[in-house]
Amino acid sequence: MKITIKSQDAVVTCQTHGAELLSYQTAAGKEYLWQKDPAYWAKTSPVLFPYIGPVPDRVFINDIAYSIPRHGFIKDAEFEVLEQGADYVVLAAHSDDFTLSVYPYPFTFTVTFRLEGSALEVTYGVCNQGTQEMPFLVGGHPGFFCPMETGERFDDYLLRFADEATPDLHLTYSIFDNDAILYENLTQRSVKLIHRRTERGLQFDFPDYPSIAFWTPVKKNAPFLCLEPWCGGTMDQVSDTNLPEKKYVQYLPAGESRDYRFSFSPC
């Protein structure tokens, strides 16, 4: 089921399958989110939980092997609507027989989309419904059109970090030939994807995530870039599938909840 929320400045559409964000349009009708093309990538904004990254074989938790899918399973879950208003919606999914067979922890996972003017805030909420501490990885994977205007090129764009010690990253397809690029421990967790001449684009904030990855499909010259806030792993840990050894692994005590937010708006 698709759900639409609105503010005076923007219109957002998501779906209950995977709580995936599908569209962000300004009031004037300009679309910013990548619109699923299987020739490049058939997703728009999958939710990553309780694992991030490929799974060469199995994921190990307490020396037991589990068949957790690539980027986890919540992206394929069917969510229910907990709350909805004109400018927000709260979706929820729960552990079930399948999730417990591949990840042995009872949980509730919520996704909240909330518009405040032109800014969309996305909150992933994790609640440990079990009786033991729960390890997990969590993150977002939204894709944005790049270039954003007719007549522009991908390499007209750059990433400008609010962290003054981090230089601009000028985009070219070749820098992604080895897959995603990861930045860690930025002093300010905010970045802009902007045209290098006009400086127009979008601002992306990720206050609850220690790292952010940037990705476009390898050697496809795809017209989009994903901005991926992560709690979990680094690019050199792909072959290590022992969940407790992953960098930035999260631990949530029994009965407790924790939120992870990111937001974006045109600039």
Side-chain angles (χ1 to χ4, degrees):
M1 180 176 70
K2 293 183 179 180
I3 299 167
T4 297
I5 59 174
K6 300 179 180 180
S7 70
Q8 63 181 6
D9 298 308
V11 180
V12 165
T13 301
C14 64
Q15 65 182 12
T16 52
H17 183 74
E20 187 175 10
L21 180 62
L22 300 176
S23 173
Y24 173 98
Q25 293 187 5
T26 63
K30 178 177 175 56
E31 179 66 72
Y32 279 82
L33 278 168
W34 167 246
Q35 297 296 292
K36 303 184 179 186
D37 182 347
Y40 298 106
W41 186 49
K43 295 285 189 178
T44 295
S45 183
V47 184
L48 315 182
F49 173 86
Y51 196 79
I52 295 176
V55 183
D57 185 14
R58 300 285 184 91
V59 173
F60 288 84
I61 305 173
N62 298 328
D63 297 322
I64 300 174
Y66 294 94
S67 299
I68 300 179
R70 176 187 179 94
H71 286 328
F73 49 68
I74 208 71
K75 65 186 187 304
D76 300 310
E78 187 63 30
F79 282 67
E80 62 179 314
V81 179
L82 284 187
E83 295 181 43
Q84 185 176 359
D87 57 2
Y88 78 97
V89 64
V90 183
L91 308 175
H94 310 276
S95 52
D96 56 25
D97 289 344
F98 166 71
T99 69
L100 291 171
S101 73
V102 298
Y103 176 71
Y105 300 96
F107 66 84
T108 295
F109 192 96
T110 59
V111 178
T112 302
F113 299 106
R114 188 179 301 274
L115 277 167
E116 295 186 8
S118 65
L120 177 66
E121 183 177 76
V122 181
T123 304
Y124 299 156
V126 184
C127 180
N128 182 353
Q129 302 281 16
T131 58
Q132 57 184 318
E133 188 175 57
M134 184 173 79
F136 60 90
L137 311 180
V138 63
H141 202 311
F144 298 94
F145 278 118
C146 184
M148 298 181 188
E149 302 289 348
T150 302
E152 296 177 346
R153 296 164 49 92
F154 184 84
D155 56 11
D156 290 333
Y157 280 75
L158 58 82
L159 291 163
R160 177 159 294 160
F161 298 87
D163 185 339
E164 294 182 355
T166 304
D168 293 347
L169 179 64
H170 292 260
L171 298 184
T172 65
Y173 286 118
S174 63
I175 65 176
F176 298 97
D177 283 352
N178 294 317
D179 213 352
I181 298 170
L182 185 73
Y183 281 74
E184 304 175 75
N185 298 316
L186 297 170
T187 59
Q188 297 186 61
R189 297 175 181 178
S190 180
V191 63
K192 291 181 179 179
L193 172 61
I194 54 175
H195 189 279
R196 65 179 66 188
R197 180 178 55 82
T198 67
E199 298 196 350
R200 298 189 65 180
L202 63 88
Q203 177 170 323
F204 190 91
D205 300 313
F206 50 106
D208 298 320
Y209 297 88
S211 64
I212 184 167
F214 305 102
W215 175 81
T216 192
V218 175
K219 298 185 185 300
K220 286 192 175 182
N221 292 357
F224 70 90
L225 182 72
C226 289
L227 281 62
E228 306 176 39
W230 287 357
C231 289
T234 53
M235 302 313 295
D236 60 350
Q237 286 191 307
V238 170
S239 61
D240 183 355
T241 58
N242 189 353
L243 180 60
E245 291 180 359
K246 287 289 190 179
K247 196 171 185 179
Y248 307 125
V249 64
Q250 303 292 289
Y251 286 94
L252 191 61
E256 293 193 9
S257 300
R258 190 177 301 152
D259 288 343
Y260 299 85
R261 299 161 295 155
F262 67 84
S263 64
F264 63 86
S265 60
C267 64

